[in-house]
Amino acid sequence: MRVSPLVGFALMLALLTACQPALNWRQVHPAGSGAVALFPCKPDVEQRQGMGLAQCETGGKGFALSWAEVPDPTQVGAALKAMPQALATKLGRPLPPGLALQVAGMTPMPEASHYQLTSNGAVTHVAVFAHGTRVYQALMTAPQDDAAAWDSFRAGLAIEAAR
């Protein structure tokens, strides 16, 4: 049986497409963030005075890393507490207890935590941490829990060494 080159090419293309991972992870250094993150899609990056946001959506999941400068160093801990609380309030859910979080290069703080919120069947994972007076929030939203995607995103977070 002989296969035409066009059919062979179509079969090869179908096989290559089938081998593509659902999430295409890449290391990203969002300009102005001072951080590095592992995103499963190419994020759009927006910046304003003292704050920024890198975000993308793929496979029905949303991923984001936001950062902001806190002008008063004594308020960094309060900012880390306020960010997940504001998200829980927006989702109309109580904030569950946080789990300790370690991010390479972060300033060690007891308020650095990650949380899982469920609202209307959708799952939101959020992590908050700081480096000096810069606070960060990493977020993944999905129609159902995908612990492997969250673990990859969270594990890919780091503070960049000064260049």
Side-chain angles (χ1 to χ4, degrees):
M1 180 169 130
R2 191 170 159 97
V3 177
S4 77
L6 185 57
V7 171
F9 178 75
L11 287 171
M12 184 177 71
L13 187 58
L15 286 173
L16 286 173
T17 303
C19 293
Q20 292 290 335
L23 302 176
N24 185 10
W25 295 97
R26 74 217 46 218
Q27 194 174 60
V28 178
H29 303 259
S33 71
V36 61
L38 193 62
F39 274 90
C41 42
K42 184 178 179 190
D44 293 322
V45 180
E46 300 175 26
Q47 291 187 52
R48 293 189 183 136
Q49 184 71 26
M51 59 180 21
L53 171 66
Q55 64 181 345
C56 67
E57 187 175 327
T58 186
K61 299 172 188 72
F63 297 84
L65 176 66
S66 59
W67 59 94
E69 289 293 329
V70 177
D72 181 352
T74 65
Q75 294 301 309
V76 171
L80 292 178
K81 285 182 177 179
M83 291 187 298
Q85 183 59 61
L87 179 61
T89 300
K90 180 179 177 181
L91 294 174
R93 310 302 292 169
L95 184 65
L99 301 172
L101 176 72
Q102 286 295 319
V103 172
M106 74 177 218
T107 301
M109 300 192 72
E111 297 87 359
S113 299
H114 62 103
Y115 305 85
Q116 180 176 325
L117 300 159
T118 304
S119 177
N120 299 324
V123 175
T124 300
H125 290 274
V126 61
V128 294
F129 58 99
H131 181 257
T133 58
R134 182 169 288 169
V135 295
Y136 296 89
Q137 177 174 275
L139 185 76
M140 182 188 92
T141 58
Q144 58 190 18
D145 194 22
D146 186 340
W150 171 245
D151 289 343
S152 294
F153 185 54
R154 189 186 61 191
L157 297 169
I159 301 299
E160 289 189 294
R163 295 181 184 191

